[in-house]
Amino acid sequence: MAYLDRISDRLRFVLAQGRSPDDPADPDWDRVNCRFDMASCRSAMNHMGAVPVAWIDFPKDGPAYPLDADLVNRFTANPLAQALRGVMQSDEQWKIQQLWDDGPAIFLLRPEAFRKVGEHYEPAVTPTEMRKILGEIVSAR
């Protein structure tokens, strides 16, 4: 936040994973991204002031958006994809993960794959299509 005053005139928006703690449609928000330091989280959001925040989340009651072995095995097109595949194959914890953290990056590069739902954006495509999009992004040359 110390740099915000110096760069705010160059920011169109900030991407955030999850949902705003101020979203009136989600009063039971578990603050998963802020729960370890709510004071800092609130301070950062308050300090941003007029800089819009685009919250990116996945449906709570909808389909899961997991990664899968087929996607990981296709990461061969370039050095970045190969390195990512190697890291994921060396620690298979990715198998219990979903595309939550990838959501903002996918939104930045493919906003048409999302739709506005209340105060946040959710995928407008199926989990299979979302994995395909991630594969295309990682494998781009």
Side-chain angles (χ1 to χ4, degrees), residues 57-68:
D57 202 9
F58 289 83
K60 287 183 173 183
D61 301 323
Y65 283 78
L67 295 166
D68 64 18

Side-chain angles (χ1 to χ4, degrees), residues 96-108:
I96 62 170
Q97 302 300 318
Q98 297 206 27
L99 293 171
W100 296 302
D101 294 332
D102 307 281
I106 296 170
F107 177 85
L108 183 63

Side-chain angles (χ1 to χ4, degrees), residues 121-132:
Y121 292 88
E122 289 184 2
V125 299
T126 66
T128 300
E129 183 65 19
M130 189 61 67
R131 285 190 297 272
K132 180 181 176 211

